[in-house]
Each structure stands twice: as C-alpha cells, then as structure tokens.
Amino acid sequence: MTDALLAALAKGTRTIELGQPLFTGMPCSPNHPGFRMTLARRHGDMRRPDGGSASNEVIVTGGHVGTHIDALAHVSQGGKLYGGVDAEAAQRGGAFTELGAEQIPPLITRAVLLDVAGTRGVDVLDPGYGVTRRDLEDAAERAGALPEPGDVVLVRTGWATHFHDAGTYLGRATGVPGITEDAAAWLAAHDITATGADTTAYERIPPGEGHRTLPVHRLLLVEHGIHIMEHLALEQAAAAGLTEFAIVVAPLRIVGGTGSPIRPLAVVSG
C-alpha cells in the first residue's frame, strides 16, 4: 500500500469526503447525547482598539455522534472488553484506563468499498435488510477487490441518502439495513483493521422499538479487536466508481473515551 500511495501522490491526488457534516439537529441515536453548536461570542460583542473582532463557539457532542469510530472500550461481553480486559475495572474514575479512544491508531491504508446496494441493483437496501456473507462476497467480486490484512472495508447500503430525514434514517419503526453476524465473521477472517457503513449502527437493526442486541459489535470489537465506523457518507465514492483506494482516518486523542469523531477521506489519483 505504501508504494501505491506514494505513486499516487507523485501523480497528483484529490480527496473524496467519506464523512457527514456536523450540525445541530442532525440524526443521532437516542443512546447518545446529540450534537449541539452555538456561538459563545459574536462579532461585535467585543471590539479591539483597532476595530477587530472575533467570534467563537461552544460544541457539545457525544463520541458516537455523526461520522465516528468506535474504540475497543465501547462494547463489553460478560463484563470483558477485547483481550479479556475487565470492563468495570477499566472504567473506574470516569474514563477508560485501557482501550480508550486515544489508542485508536491513525489509519493511512488501503480501503475496499463493497457496494452491496449497487451489486443488488438498487439505490438503497430495504429497511432492516440483513447484509450477508454472500452479499459481501458478491460485492467484492463485482469490485474486483478482496479485503486483505490491515485493510479498511466500507459497506454501502445506500442508507445515507436518508441522512437529512432523521426519522427515516434512524429507522426506529422500520429498521435499518446492515451487516449480519455471518458477514462480520467473513470480514474478521480477512484480518482487517476497521470497517464501516453508511448507517447509524453499522449492523442490521430490525424493525420495532423493542430491546436491540448488537451481536456484530460484540464479534468485531470484543472478539477480534476490529474498529467500527458509522454514519459514513459513501454516495460520492460509489458514484465515482471507487472500489479500492487509499484512506486517511485520524481519530481525536480523547483519553479514556469510547469513540471519536472522524473526518475520513478517500485519496485518489487526480
């Protein structure tokens, strides 16, 4: 990947956004505090002797709001985090002492875009559709690119087209398409570093408001140490015909956090 990236840089590159914009009122899971921004100081509130003025803002957000990446501290199973770390002990004091967001590595690596919606011949997968191993295999065959160790795998469902309609996007009544356990096991078998999708929870959310389990989060985060990215924007990348490319993902170093906002970028030849 390094040689390919250097060659691309030598020829000139451009970037394609893979993340959603952050704005007050954006879709947010009810399990997390939503994004809020307001101006704390406006131009004219204070003027310098030379007539200059400055404005600034206050931002309040959860670590799993908007386009973000999950730290390995985010999910436990049977009281244990990835590697058998005791979750209760690690979270004492109000921040994680192990597997926190500051330990998520910056990613500059190969990405593979698996366009499941495009492979199935639709713009958007049905609400609550479970993306299977066969779906990923077919999308990889169509892309001509299998995941390799260390890769980032992005899964397009088309659901990001609903991002500006919070009710539809969150799918509380109808469900949201996403990865199933057998698809997650297929990804894990390829020894990838991270994976992400254009939905609120990455994995399939069935219709209804009942209690929801997150078996794919358990499998990827707890059992295999694979980071998950959510709320990706993959429409532009799919429209550009991207299948494999360099990706840059730089999480914030939030000490002891369970996740971090990110601005992922596809780096492609100009």
Side-chain angles (χ1 to χ4, degrees):
M1 184 64 228
T2 301
D3 291 342
L5 180 56
L6 289 174
L9 290 171
K11 296 178 182 177
T13 62
R14 61 188 176 94
T15 59
I16 293 178
E17 294 278 356
L18 301 174
Q20 297 285 6
L22 294 162
F23 56 90
T24 300
M26 64 188 289
C28 174
S29 166
N31 298 322
H32 303 286
F35 180 89
R36 299 290 183 272
M37 192 207 82
T38 188
L39 294 178
R41 175 178 285 177
R42 292 168 170 77
H43 290 291
D45 289 349
M46 184 277 291
R47 294 183 186 274
R48 298 187 178 89
D50 65 355
S53 181
S55 182
N56 54 44
E57 65 279 302
V58 173
I59 295 173
V60 177
T61 187
H64 300 267
V65 177
T67 307
H68 67 275
I69 188 168
D70 293 345
L72 299 183
H74 180 45
V75 170
S76 66
Q77 185 69 27
K80 301 295 182 181
L81 303 172
Y82 175 66
V85 172
D86 185 274
E88 183 178 353
Q91 69 187 1
R92 289 173 188 160
F96 279 88
T97 56
E98 298 186 62
L99 305 179
E102 80 281 8
Q103 296 181 29
I104 305 172
L107 302 173
I108 304 177
T109 189
R110 175 181 182 254
V112 175
L113 175 59
L114 300 182
D115 185 355
V116 176
T119 302
R120 291 287 166 255
V122 297
D123 293 329
V124 184
L125 295 179
D126 290 338
Y129 179 85
V131 175
T132 65
R133 170 178 179 157
R134 177 63 183 271
D135 286 323
L136 296 186
E137 290 174 335
D138 289 347
E141 182 178 357
R142 179 174 182 256
L146 273 173
E148 298 176 358
D151 281 355
V152 170
V153 175
L154 310 180
V155 179
R156 177 181 173 267
T157 69
W159 204 249
T161 58
H162 299 310
F163 188 74
H164 289 278
D165 178 354
T168 301
Y169 182 76
L170 295 175
R172 295 174 188 172
T174 61
V176 178
I179 294 290
T180 58
E181 284 184 81
D182 74 315
W186 183 82
L187 290 171
H190 286 82
D191 197 23
I192 62 173
T193 296
T195 181
D198 52 358
T199 62
T200 182
Y202 181 77
E203 59 189 278
R204 173 182 181 263
I205 298 298
E209 296 289 346
H211 179 70
R212 295 169 175 174
T213 61
L214 297 173
V216 170
H217 278 64
R218 167 189 52 76
L219 192 152
L220 294 176
L221 292 172
V222 181
E223 297 180 11
H224 293 280
I226 296 171
H227 297 282
I228 297 173
M229 296 180 286
E230 293 159 328
H231 297 290
L232 292 173
L234 301 178
E235 295 306 295
Q236 186 180 358
L242 298 190
T243 55
E244 53 182 327
F245 49 90
I247 191 171
V248 177
V249 180
L252 301 178
R253 300 177 70 188
I254 303 172
V255 176
T258 65
S260 168
I262 54 174
R263 185 184 181 184
L265 297 170
V267 182
V268 298
S269 298

